[in-house]
Amino acid sequence: MVKLRVAGTWSGALDEVDLENWTVPTLREEVAKRSNVSPASINLICAGKMLKDGDCTEKLSQLGIRANSKILASRVAVDEGKSLKDEEELNQRLARVKAAVTALSTRHADGALPLEDFNLEIEDQLGNKLHLSESDRQALMMGLMLHTNGKVLMKKGKFRDALEVLNMAEESFSLGDPKTVERVDNIAMLQMDMVWCYFMLKDIACLSVAGVRLDKARDGFERAHGKDASRLKLLQAGNSSELAVYLRLELLEAVVAYHSGQLEKSRRYLISAQTKFKRLQVSDEVLSVVLGMGFEENEAKRALRINNQDAERAVDFLVEEKARKALKRQEDLKRQAEILEQKKYGVTPLKKAVDIQLLTGLVSIGFEKQLAAEALRRNENDTQKALDDLTNPETNATIQNDIETRKAKRQKQDTDSKIQLIASMGFDMPAVAAAVQAGGTTETIMRRLLQQGPLPDPAAALQAAAAHAQAVAADGAAANAEPPADASFSEPRDVEMEDEIANELARRDALSDYDIDVTREGEAIDEYLALLDSTGSSSGSASTSGRGHQEKEIRN
């Protein structure tokens, strides 16, 4: 019989442990009993390795456990109260998110005509659009949208749900060309966010994979940002937007090192993270200076953190940021107008939108806009082929005839719809047809018919009056929009989910990933430094073998 020391959900000594007969389930049951929880909710770790049940026959002595071995016990979330219905709802939502992201990225990555009045673009940290191949663009776009959705769930404290979405994001990023993906820091950020979820869930079972992910994150940041973030600082005019990101990275590296028994390494990371944390603290004095310039508190703090507490630079940053947002808004409005115009011209045989820039070029050399748009539409936006058609008298005439035929067809459809609408209110069909042919808005036509005599069914007058306002509104909408030519928008869509994802993206900017509230990080730094101090370790004498220190669970 030997004694084992336990820390975590319960701290103390287990006496009279029979290493030759006890198995991991036996040990788990004893620890759970003292922790007042179910055995299923207890994870055990010894010397940096997770103790697994296996076939429940392996004895503790066979696993390398000896007298006075230290056992770390942590409680994991067991979804005991989670019903099958809850699981089904989560799975359905994840499926909707994945489907919506796939649909959005497909429409906005391959030149297809957007069904919305916005366009999704991939930009760098300076707001410049990235020019990528169609496959890389779609892979990055899917990964970014899923990553953004995962971050929203993290802010809501739904870390387990967030992990599911972040895993899908990782899969999507992997579909792109590795050389292209390595140019951006989003993959590194994703790896770090996943480990942050492990940390907030206190999931010590992910300890080993957390270390691998953090190594990938550090390598990815160095590739994208340069050594010591030198390239990033150069791009961002010397500001320190990356500081909070590296603080969180070093904290997580310290946590993994601590629970792996690498105390000296853990302390180094913690001290470095603590230095960054202090640099990110905004003093009341400097904050009041920026607030005095009329800025909101949140944006003032963000600007000061990014600009090393320099009030003058922070104000300049905020002014420039405001100008960038105004310019972006103008560009978005211009793009919305372009999309509405594109919808008038229909889609190419391969379901692509007419290229507005190419259309502008043809119009600038003298071709009529509708004619040039139709030539581009027929020829998959091939400018030379469109020019050949436009300069060929026979083909040009055919295009013009097709345009007029479609226009007449749409006008007839509009007329027939108007006649049916008004006749359904009780008016005589021939009289309605004659009134519509005479011209005028729906309001004018109805007034003209009412002057000719009362409705055959007086009750229908109420219906006519109720439909009057709707008809007026319909006329106004028809005046400002033309049905797309040869376009089919019958594909099923989850509009609600697509709008939710698009709105999440709209609220973010190039520095959103770097704008981290480090309050929780500061608390964790103090906590783990205290744990290290309680072991009597120091930066010069800490043991990397894990001896002589008290293990604790990953804390939240």
Side-chain angles (χ1 to χ4, degrees):
M1 296 294 182
V2 300
K3 179 188 295 185
L4 296 181
R5 288 179 294 162
V6 180
T9 57
W10 173 77
S11 296
L14 278 179
D15 298 319
E16 298 184 353
V17 176
D18 188 347
L19 297 179
E20 300 301 329
N21 289 302
W22 280 31
T23 61
V24 172
T26 309
L27 178 60
R28 192 190 314 279
E29 187 174 344
E30 288 297 323
V31 174
K33 188 187 302 180
R34 288 163 173 76
S35 304
N36 293 317
V37 296
S38 69
S41 67
I42 289 292
N43 268 340
L44 301 174
I45 190 169
C46 181
K49 293 182 180 180
M50 181 66 62
L51 299 181
K52 298 182 180 180
D53 293 350
D55 60 4
C56 299
T57 62
E58 268 191 313
K59 311 308 179 187
L60 296 183
S61 60
Q62 295 174 285
L63 298 173
I65 298 177
R66 300 290 180 265
N68 292 317
S69 287
K70 294 179 296 298
I71 306 297
L72 174 63
S74 67
R75 187 176 183 185
V76 294
V78 178
D79 299 332
E80 297 170 344
K82 202 165 189 179
S83 65
L84 291 176
K85 182 180 179 182
D86 293 332
E87 289 286 356
E88 185 179 352
E89 288 178 354
L90 173 60
N91 290 334
Q92 287 177 350
R93 176 174 173 78
L94 292 174
R96 288 180 64 198
V97 169
K98 184 66 178 290
V101 164
T102 302
L104 282 169
S105 63
T106 300
R107 290 202 300 271
H108 290 266
D110 64 357
L113 182 64
L115 305 185
E116 312 86 356
D117 63 350
F118 61 84
N119 200 40
L120 299 177
E121 299 285 356
I122 300 179
E123 301 175 344
D124 61 18
Q125 291 161 341
L126 298 178
N128 302 315
K129 295 176 183 178
L130 295 180
H131 300 286
L132 306 167
S133 68
E134 184 176 313
S135 59
D136 287 344
R137 180 179 169 83
Q138 184 168 359
L140 281 176
M141 196 174 286
M142 287 178 63
L144 290 169
M145 284 190 281
L146 288 167
H147 192 181
T148 299
N149 187 260
K151 283 181 173 292
V152 171
L153 292 170
M154 289 169 66
K155 284 190 174 181
K156 293 178 179 179
K158 299 180 179 180
F159 295 102
R160 200 165 295 281
D161 292 353
L163 268 176
E164 297 283 355
V165 178
L166 295 178
N167 275 310
M168 291 194 296
E170 184 177 36
E171 179 185 353
S172 298
F173 280 129
S174 70
L175 300 176
D177 183 347
K179 293 182 180 178
T180 300
V181 173
E182 285 180 357
R183 291 165 49 195
V184 297
D185 67 3
N186 302 89
I187 309 298
M189 199 75 72
L190 174 68
Q191 297 291 338
M192 188 178 70
D193 285 341
M194 295 176 84
V195 179
W196 183 252
C197 288
Y198 301 156
F199 175 74
M200 296 303 289
L201 289 167
K202 300 185 284 187
D203 194 347
I204 202 166
C206 294
L207 191 65
S208 59
V209 70
V212 174
R213 290 194 182 282
L214 291 176
D215 288 342
K216 289 181 179 179
R218 184 165 284 281
D219 290 343
F221 284 134
E222 186 164 322
R223 278 195 304 271
H225 298 168
K227 190 71 172 177
D228 298 323
S230 56
R231 187 183 304 125
L232 182 65
K233 290 177 180 177
L234 182 64
L235 286 172
Q236 298 184 351
N239 68 33
S240 300
S241 60
E242 81 292 346
L243 209 57
V245 171
Y246 284 95
L247 185 161
R248 176 174 285 186
L249 177 64
E250 289 174 347
L251 166 63
L252 293 173
E253 289 173 324
V255 171
V256 171
Y258 176 83
H259 291 289
S260 300
Q262 298 173 306
L263 303 189
E264 184 178 354
K265 184 178 181 181
S266 177
R267 185 179 290 277
R268 286 200 306 270
Y269 280 133
L270 286 171
I271 291 174
S272 180
Q274 188 179 56
T275 301
K276 292 178 174 60
F277 178 78
K278 290 176 179 177
R279 287 179 59 189
L280 287 168
Q281 302 313 297
V282 177
S283 70
D284 293 340
E285 293 77 9
V286 71
L287 177 61
S288 65
V289 173
V290 181
L291 292 177
M293 303 295 290
F295 296 103
E296 296 291 333
E297 183 175 352
N298 286 340
E299 62 181 357
K301 285 184 176 180
R302 179 195 195 211
L304 286 167
R305 287 196 299 264
I306 289 175
N307 290 280
N308 298 310
Q309 319 302 322
D310 187 318
E312 185 176 352
R313 287 186 60 185
V315 170
D316 291 341
F317 173 84
L318 288 167
V319 171
E320 291 172 5
E321 189 176 55
K322 185 176 181 179
R324 281 195 300 269
K325 287 181 179 179
L327 179 61
K328 182 70 166 54
R329 178 58 180 162
Q330 290 178 358
E331 291 175 350
D332 288 344
L333 291 173
K334 179 182 177 183
R335 181 55 185 145
Q336 287 176 1
E338 288 179 349
I339 291 173
L340 291 175
E341 183 179 358
Q342 285 176 311
K343 289 183 178 180
K344 293 195 301 183
Y345 304 134
V347 293
T348 71
L350 294 180
K351 304 301 181 185
K352 301 297 194 306
V354 171
D355 191 305
I356 292 296
Q357 290 185 340
L358 298 179
L359 176 60
T360 302
L362 290 176
V363 171
S364 69
I365 58 178
F367 292 105
E368 191 270 327
K369 198 168 196 177
Q370 186 72 37
L371 190 65
E374 177 62 13
L376 285 169
R377 188 194 69 77
R378 288 169 170 241
N379 291 287
E380 290 293 343
N381 289 310
D382 187 315
T383 305
Q384 187 56 55
K385 289 182 180 179
L387 274 171
D388 292 343
D389 284 351
L390 290 169
T391 54
N392 183 311
E394 184 177 342
T395 309
N396 187 303
T398 300
I399 295 174
Q400 290 192 55
N401 182 63
D402 288 347
I403 292 173
E404 291 301 319
T405 299
R406 276 203 303 273
K407 185 176 180 180
K409 183 179 179 180
R410 287 197 298 273
Q411 288 176 342
K412 184 177 185 304
Q413 290 174 342
D414 290 343
T415 299
D416 290 345
S417 296
K418 188 178 291 186
I419 291 173
Q420 291 293 332
L421 172 66
I422 298 175
S424 68
M425 299 174 188
F427 292 105
D428 182 63
M429 179 71 79
V432 172
V436 170
Q437 292 298 330
T441 64
T442 303
E443 182 181 12
T444 303
I445 293 167
M446 289 177 64
R447 189 182 303 116
R448 189 184 302 145
L449 288 168
L450 288 169
Q451 288 174 350
Q452 294 175 6
L455 287 170
D457 179 6
L462 294 175
Q463 182 181 2
H468 181 71
Q470 180 182 357
V472 173
D475 277 323
N480 293 303
E482 186 176 358
D486 297 337
S488 174
F489 302 124
S490 58
E491 63 177 88
R493 293 180 59 204
D494 188 341
V495 178
E496 180 184 13
M497 183 56 69
E498 288 183 11
D499 286 348
E500 179 182 321
I501 291 170
N503 290 334
E504 290 169 0
L505 293 171
R507 285 190 287 268
R508 301 181 65 79
D509 58 32
L511 293 177
S512 291
D513 285 341
Y514 298 84
D515 188 21
I516 299 174
D517 179 3
V518 295
T519 303
R520 180 67 189 91
E521 284 81 349
E523 295 170 354
I525 290 169
D526 291 341
E527 182 178 1
Y528 275 88
L529 282 173
L531 288 172
L532 285 171
D533 290 340
S534 71
T535 67
S537 66
S538 66
S539 60
S541 61
S543 169
T544 58
S545 67
R547 287 187 174 182
H549 74 280
Q550 183 183 20
E551 294 273 10
K552 294 286 184 181
E553 67 178 326
I554 292 182
R555 292 179 174 264
N556 182 14

